[in-house]
Amino acid sequence: MNVPCIRIKSLVLFVLMCFVVTEHQAQIFSRDDRLHRRAERNLSDASELFKPYIRLGRMDIDSLAVDRERLVIKVFLSPAVTHLPVRYPWLVFLETELMNMLGWRFRNYHLELYARHRLLHEYVPNIFRGEVIPLDDQRVRPADEKPPLVMRIDRPDITYGLSNNHLALWHSHGYYYDASKDRWQWQRARLFGVVEDMATMDYVVGYITPMLENAGAVVLLPRERDVQTHEVIVDTGRSTGDSELIIEHGNHRWSRVSGGFALRDTLFDREHPFRSGKHLRIPASPDALLRYVPDFPADGHYAVYVSYAEAPGNIDDANYVVKYPGGEASFRVNQQIGQATWVYLGHFYFNEGKNPETGSVLLSAGASSEGYITADAVRFGGGMGNVARRASADMLPDQRSADDRHSSVSKQTQITETPAISWKTSQSPRFVEGARYFLQYSGMPDTLVYSLNEGRNDYNDDFMSRGEWVNYLMGAPLGPERARGSAGLGIPVDLSLAFHTDAGVTDGDSVIGTLAIYSAQRNDGLFPDGVSRLASRDLGDVIQDQLVQDVRALVNPDWTRRALWDRQYSEAWRPNVPALLLELYSHQNLGDIRYGLDPRFQFIAGRAIYKGILRFVAGQEGRQAVVQPLPPQALAIERNDGKNITLSWEAREDVLEPTATPEFFMVYRRKEGEGFDRGTLVHENRIELELPEWQTLYSFKVTAFNSGGESFPSEILSVALVPDQGKTVLVVNGFDRVSGPGVFDTDILAGITWWDDHPIPYRYSVAYTGMQYDFLRSSPWLDDDSPGWGASYADTEKKILPGNTFDYPAIHGTAIRNAGYSFVSASRKAFEDGVVTPEDYWAVNLIMGRQKGIASWLSKDSIEFRVFTGAMMQKLKRYADAGGNIMITGAHIGSDMIQHEDEEAVGFAKQWLGFIWRTNNACNRGVVHPTERTGMAPLPVLAFNTSWHPEIYSVEAPDAIEPYGNNSRTVYRYASNKTSAAVLHEAAHKVFTMGFPFETITCANERDELMKRILYFFDNP
């Protein structure tokens, strides 16, 4: 009887207990829910904290969770927050502001901020971390201990640069075969006179690559880097022309082995140029020596590439010596990696024909080498494209895939019916072609690297191939997507950078700016070897940070820092190393392109990218980073006794980089008709030299060195001394301008003023296709053949556009020497700063080229590149007052002072030079005739360049200048309109002034004759 009663009580107690616990839990959850709502309410205005970044996407709090047990509030931010450059001070600020907003009730809580399933502090790059946030070791790949692929062994050591680092780098798109149209074409539209496919090459090949190489890095490119259209192959089998491979030592021990490069005029599908030939092989010993002797079709600069066979037992220290006119350069190549492909050594000047002592490559082994030397082909020059393509029934139309939508001017083309068509090469220089074709010529495997769509779509193959090429360079376990275990080439690549410009237009042409794209999501956020893909974000963040910082400091304080995108673009996710796809600016936006086409901006941006890479790599390796110096300035050559001269210069301060201080300098000398020698190391800012020969023209340039590397070179000065000639001419290079093309901008029409101010590249440019013809802002984009506003012609594309070579004292000086006079030279800065004293010289030849004042970037009231500055006029007045002889030539010597309403310069020109400005754009034919009464010996008819020329910059708007006063007269008139082209002023001093540049006279004989007549006139009453 009692048992049921006990059971009933127990059951009631159990129910009551359950009720009590459930109620207690309900009270807890209710209390947490109230806390949660309060936290949400208090943080409802948190989006205000992200207001400065709202253009990068929606930024606010997605959700939050309150954990009472741990006293933690987890704040989940919207994904766009990861577009920001996350830094510790900003995290502290953000957490402080959020805690203030939460209020007193949550004073004992702390915050955990999340975005994209990661704690926000995980997005801080390793190099910006300190004691508070520990380094993420998973983002660091252990350094490879192999000897580097290539090392220049006759240069000073670079301790804190990029020695032993291998960097993969490329410039956007390229000429490709479109099967649907059966034509070769660009991958982007021609806009504002350029095309992205080539404009990016100006940056990558002209600035970024040499800066990285000057820091000691080995830079690998999947596109041809050499603009030399001649190509010479020296091989064990067929060679070019009369080129030959000579076995100088070890004749009986060299074995001819299957497998190697075979020269073919045309490459077709699936043809591998490094598998159908033969190579030579020999046990390593000091007496084994080969000499490659090329037969050059013309004088010029040629890239030198070597190759060696894929074979076991190769040595890691093969010695290659490049002999060229002017000197030799020595390299150590690790033949255990980078086999069966082209390995770049450098660019060198060679003379036409066969010259074994001054035009060859020697291959040998070091005294302690163990193993085998293999010898395959050596290549000189970039050459013409030789990969043939054709349309066929199974080839797809040009269909741009989802991971290539970073250009808003990219659209799918229409399918067209195309009959069977014959094979076609591009008929273009190899340097304009896309990566897909160069990679085939470089021996990459087709199915793993450049034919991922089985040959049906070259457009997709091209952008996909670049990342897979990086993976094949490395090999297992980081090999291509389809074969991770492929041995590849064994090169330990540290990072890859895809350099692009994207498209888009902003209201009022405000700057669109710089976008960085990386990939950190695939494969659980890890590379195949377990390294975190957040290393790619670090790379992008560091480079973008450096770029925006430098551009804002030196160019435009409002330069836009766009997002850090984690997106699945092919060039961002395919490489199995830290990889960045960089969109530097918009090529469709006039606000960006006015900077993007300017060589000054190109140098600043290129240097910033180099510095970003340097800092990222140094951070990965846990070492110091030292920035290479800026080029020296204020060069001057002064004459001493006999054949002795003094060359002096000035170090240039880098206001942004305290470490970029020169420790010593390298002086390079060039004898006329040759290249620059290997250089002389100098610890002072001057060097005294004795010229080897009388009457021979010698040129000099100087670089600055420190433990971070070598600077870009200075301008080039020249000298020639004639025995028993006491009269010496001082040549002053007053033409130091580089700039982009002129731009005009209205509400309706805008674009490039080709008729008024052509671009002046640094040395040369490959970007320009032809003049803009559509200036109407409202013109719509239809397709790449009809891109609307900004559309441009194609008459100059694939050609080299000459710019300012900074080598014009050699041209003027050659004519002076040929007239029988000695000359020395000085930079504009050295002349204006008083480094040289013009009164010490019998005549001054002032080179003004296309010097013309343009507004400074940071201050529109400051004008750069004026023809006659106050210092220049002061020096010339003093010299003229002493009875000196002056020769001045330039395209804007009159219009510059009129444009800037410079009354002082106008008065100076009248009183001291004897001329006044008449008009600019005086002639577009480039022919001038002497007048009947020159008062000089018979003058030659002259032709100067006013259009594209392979070696001479164009003069699109020369000045007409007229004589002023009784002591001046016209000596040349433009043939087309008879306006005055040159004026002779004869008073107590003599002046010859010409409204077009002397160095643009196309015929050397005409230059010589004109210079002789001018100097003879100066020399006689």
Side-chain angles (χ1 to χ4, degrees), residues 141 162 165-170 212 218-220 469-470 473-474 492-498 527 535-536 539-540 543 575-580 609-610 612-618 620:
R141 180 174 288 129
L162 292 166
N165 295 117
H166 299 80
L167 312 173
L169 177 65
W170 58 87
L212 294 171
V218 176
V219 182
L220 305 148
W469 162 76
V470 175
L473 290 177
M474 296 183 292
V493 178
D494 294 285
L495 59 85
S496 74
L497 172 65
F527 292 117
S536 292
L539 173 65
I543 290 178
N576 288 324
V577 291
L580 170 66
I609 292 169
Y610 140 70
I613 290 173
L614 169 68
R615 290 194 161 109
F616 171 79
V617 172
Q620 290 287 91

Side-chain angles (χ1 to χ4, degrees), residues 933-944:
R933 299 180 179 179
T934 65
M936 302 172 68
L939 293 172
V941 175
L942 303 176
F944 64 96

